[in-house]
């Protein structure tokens, strides 16, 4: 089972793993209502390395991105649920609009986002590529989204 870490603690949590040569993968998102698309995506991300760190958007940033009725679940719950998944090693809540500062702290070997993101528009990509890290856009699971789940539940 993974662990929820504070923004300021993630570097120290990763240091011993990095010194053991573990490959660190990073992704981020709102993960408001966990669905099969999220699970498949996180499993695919984890398979790329040894450690998966997931940046979780704060409640304020989800509201800004998704609108006034979101998030459905509070940030601490979302981070804890994700950390309970076998694929996830660490979750970290970030409060900025983007995970750029968190990506600098994590310094991942591989930065991934869902297939709906073009590599050139992935936040943190230039930084990760500057030290030889990889940036990837993973397969998007069609028809699976929190928004669609909410719409279905409202019908």
């Amino acid at each position: 089972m993974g662990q929820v870490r504070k923004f300021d603690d993630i570097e120290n949590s990763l240091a011993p793993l990095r010194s053991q040569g573990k490959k660190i993968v990073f992704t981020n998102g709102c993960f408001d209502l966990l669905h099969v698309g999220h699970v498949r995506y996180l499993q695919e991300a984890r398979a790329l390395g040894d450690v998966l760190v997931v940046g979780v958007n704060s409640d304020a940033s989800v509201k800004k991105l998704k609108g006034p009725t979101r998030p459905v679940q509070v940030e601490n719950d979302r981070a804890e649920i994700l950390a309970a998944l076998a694929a996830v090693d660490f979750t970290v809540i970030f409060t900025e609009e983007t995970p750029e500062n968190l990506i600098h702290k994590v310094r991942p070997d591989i930065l991934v986002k869902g297939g709906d993101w073009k590599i050139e528009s992935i936040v943190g990509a230039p930084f990760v590529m500057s030290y030889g890290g990889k940036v990837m856009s993973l397969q998007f699971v069609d028809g699976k989204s929190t928004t669609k789940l909410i719409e279905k539940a409202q019908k």
Side-chain angles (χ1 to χ4, degrees), residues 61-120:
S61 67
V62 173
K63 193 171 293 299
K64 203 173 235 183
L65 289 167
K66 304 289 186 176
T69 62
R70 303 276 297 275
V72 175
Q73 300 186 88
V74 297
E75 60 195 41
N76 291 329
D77 289 356
R78 291 183 284 119
E80 185 177 337
I81 290 165
L82 286 168
L85 297 176
V88 178
D89 295 288
F90 297 101
T91 60
V92 183
I93 297 167
F94 64 95
T95 57
E96 297 90 354
E97 283 190 39
T98 75
E100 183 80 37
N101 289 330
L102 180 55
I103 291 166
H104 284 253
K105 280 190 169 291
V106 172
R107 199 175 168 86
D109 298 291
I110 303 172
L111 171 63
V112 299
K113 284 295 282 179
D116 52 340
W117 286 83
K118 291 187 169 117
I119 288 176
E120 57 272 9

Side-chain angles (χ1 to χ4, degrees), residues 10 26 48 54 64 86 104 109 123 125 137 149 151:
I10 192 61
F26 177 88
L48 297 171
V54 180
K64 203 173 235 183
H104 284 253
D109 298 291
V123 170
S137 187
L149 277 177
E151 288 170 359

Side-chain angles (χ1 to χ4, degrees), residues 1 14 27 32 44-45 107 109 120 129 131-134 150:
M1 186 163 125
L14 293 173
T27 193
D32 198 3
E44 187 178 350
R107 199 175 168 86
D109 298 291
E120 57 272 9
M129 290 187 288
Y131 57 80
K134 291 183 189 171
I150 291 170

Side-chain angles (χ1 to χ4, degrees), residues 13 18 58 105 112:
S13 297
R18 195 180 306 285
S58 68
K105 280 190 169 291
V112 299

